[in-house]
């Protein structure tokens, strides 16, 4: 499933023409207005035939984005982060797990220190 989240897709739902700029936006997280302005400026600044060829090639080669690709907005932001910097995203996930582990350890200490019978039962399980 991770391979489907890290691919480039045409975003037909937010498309103006073929969905390439909206797909770039979905892939990178950059606002669609800036992607479209950059495409226009690049085309007018001398890249005319090549930007048009690249746009048509992307529209032809890229698959449409599945409707259920993301669960919610947080899921979308997460996968955009994975595509931008997988190392940083992995580091953030590890940090979250460490935080959850620390909080669980704190809860265990709290409940076992107040309840000696529960502490004895936990010790007997070890």
């Amino acid at each position: 499933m991770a391979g489907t989240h890290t691919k480039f897709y045409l975003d037909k739902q937010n498309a103006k023409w073929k969905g390439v700029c909206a797909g770039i936006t979905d892939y990178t997280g950059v606002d669609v207005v800036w992607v479209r302005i950059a495409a226009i400026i690049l085309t007018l600044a001398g890249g005319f035939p090549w930007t048009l060829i690249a746009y048509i090639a992307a529209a032809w080669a890229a698959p449409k984005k599945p409707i259920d690709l993301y669960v919610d907005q947080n899921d979308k932001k997460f996968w955009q982060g994975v595509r931008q910097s997988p190392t940083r995203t992995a580091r953030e996930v590890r940090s979250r797990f460490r935080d959850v582990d620390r909080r669980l350890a704190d809860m265990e200490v709290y409940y076992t220190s107040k309840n000696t019978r529960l502490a004895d039962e936990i010790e007997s399980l070890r």
Side-chain angles (χ1 to χ4, degrees), residues 23-115:
I24 292 170
T25 293
D26 182 59
Y27 190 80
T28 62
V30 176
D31 189 57
V32 72
V33 173
W34 294 114
V35 173
R36 289 178 178 144
I37 288 172
I40 291 168
I41 289 172
L42 186 62
T43 302
L44 296 176
F48 167 65
W50 302 113
T51 53
L52 188 60
I53 291 169
Y55 190 94
I56 291 170
W60 177 75
K64 286 188 214 176
K65 181 175 91 171
I67 294 172
D68 60 344
L69 183 62
Y70 304 118
V71 176
D72 57 14
Q73 196 64 20
N74 288 333
D75 190 39
K76 181 178 179 178
K77 291 289 183 191
F78 172 79
W79 284 108
Q80 286 172 346
V82 168
R83 290 186 293 260
Q84 290 171 359
S85 177
T87 305
R88 183 186 62 208
T89 304
R91 195 174 25 231
E92 289 172 359
V93 168
R94 279 193 301 271
S95 174
R96 287 182 193 164
F97 277 121
R98 277 193 300 270
D99 183 51
V100 167
D101 189 44
R102 181 192 51 77
R103 289 173 32 208
L104 285 171
D106 290 347
M107 287 188 338
E108 180 183 359
V109 167
Y110 174 77
Y111 283 108
T112 57
S113 65
K114 301 284 188 226
N115 188 343

Side-chain angles (χ1 to χ4, degrees), residues 11-12 14-19 22 36 55:
D11 188 356
K12 298 284 190 170
N14 300 313
K16 289 292 183 192
W17 187 38
K18 292 284 188 183
R36 289 178 178 144
Y55 190 94

